[in-house]
Amino acid sequence: MRPPQDRGTGPPQLVMLARWPAPGRCKSRLVPGVGMGRAAAIQARLTQHGLAAAAEARRGMAAAGGDGRPGTGLRLVLATSGLGPGAAGRWGRRLGVDRVVDQGPGSLGLRMQRQMRRGWREGAAAVVLIGSDLPELAADDLLAAFQALEHNDLVLGPAGDGGYWLVGRRRATPQVFSGIDWGSDRVLAQTLQLARRAGLGTALLAERHDLDRPADLDRWR
């Protein structure tokens, strides 16, 4: 039996990690192909798309057994980078999220682990993290992630570049973000290896593609 302090009983959390969509502050790998202004506009649109899918997933979870009030069945959290707390709060209110937090410094792995730990401290029954660059994301993908966590310790959404577009946990430990070559095509394989060593039951979702480079725009168009 798992120790009770390792599991939360509060509403699950869906956390989107997002950069402030201002020219020169986001999607730098898109800039050579489309320019800084267009890259920022693409980032803004993708963020809105991801949160719209999240809101639809929340409604689906409420219809399946919640009471329908925003935030009771699923908490939507925006973890921001590139702007101060006041501006971040205003951005979050415009986007309709339940809460805005700062990603903090460090590597991608450190920032994701920070959000996982925050969620556990707040008593979340499960924490799922996504990015803000997923044109193919649908509410059903998010629902599938939370459903998978009912029977697994870890859920991952494989990305076409060898990474993953979603990671979710229902236990605080052990963590799976150390020793990963972030930005490489080995991220998913290394994470799965860590999970096997830790004895974590792992579920994989459907493969999706994120949007990082000018060539990725063709799939979106």
Side-chain angles (χ1 to χ4, degrees):
M1 180 180 296
R2 297 187 180 102
Q5 64 268 23
D6 201 35
R7 292 287 304 277
T9 58
Q13 294 189 12
L14 176 65
V15 184
M16 173 184 279
L17 283 74
R19 288 180 178 271
W20 171 239
R25 296 190 184 184
C26 62
K27 287 295 172 192
S28 59
R29 286 180 286 183
L30 274 182
V31 170
V34 301
M36 285 193 297
R38 183 61 177 158
I42 290 171
Q43 177 69 74
R45 184 173 175 184
L46 286 172
T47 302
Q48 292 167 351
H49 168 73
L51 289 174
E56 183 179 347
R58 176 164 65 184
R59 291 191 293 271
M61 291 177 71
D67 59 15
R69 291 182 296 152
T72 56
L74 175 63
R75 296 280 290 170
L76 304 185
V77 180
L78 183 68
T80 65
S81 173
L83 73 171
R90 291 190 292 273
W91 187 30
R93 286 191 291 274
R94 288 199 303 271
L95 292 173
V97 299
D98 297 307
R99 188 175 177 197
V100 177
V101 298
D102 184 49
Q103 288 185 29
S107 67
L108 176 60
L110 182 59
R111 288 179 281 129
M112 289 196 296
Q113 179 65 8
R114 185 177 293 123
Q115 294 307 314
M116 286 284 185
R117 287 175 174 166
R118 179 196 51 73
W120 301 128
R121 286 197 304 270
E122 295 170 1
V127 181
V128 169
L129 308 181
I130 59 172
S132 58
D133 54 0
L134 299 168
E136 299 176 328
L137 182 68
D140 285 347
D141 295 319
L142 302 174
L143 292 172
F146 284 103
Q147 289 166 359
L149 287 174
E150 294 177 6
H151 306 287
N152 296 275
D153 301 305
L154 171 70
V155 61
L156 295 165
D161 59 5
Y164 54 76
W165 55 270
L166 177 148
V167 56
R169 297 291 306 275
R170 66 183 179 117
R171 296 179 58 195
T173 57
Q175 63 101 351
V176 291
F177 300 115
S178 296
I180 303 296
D181 296 324
W182 301 108
S184 75
D185 60 359
R186 299 183 297 277
V187 170
L188 178 64
Q190 290 174 337
T191 304
L192 289 172
Q193 185 177 44
L194 283 175
R196 284 193 295 270
R197 289 175 179 172
L200 298 177
T202 303
L204 294 178
L205 303 178
E207 181 177 294
R208 296 285 181 262
H209 297 80
D210 52 17
L211 200 161
D212 281 327
R213 298 173 176 82
D216 298 329
L217 286 168
D218 293 338
R219 179 183 297 274
W220 192 21
R221 293 187 181 114

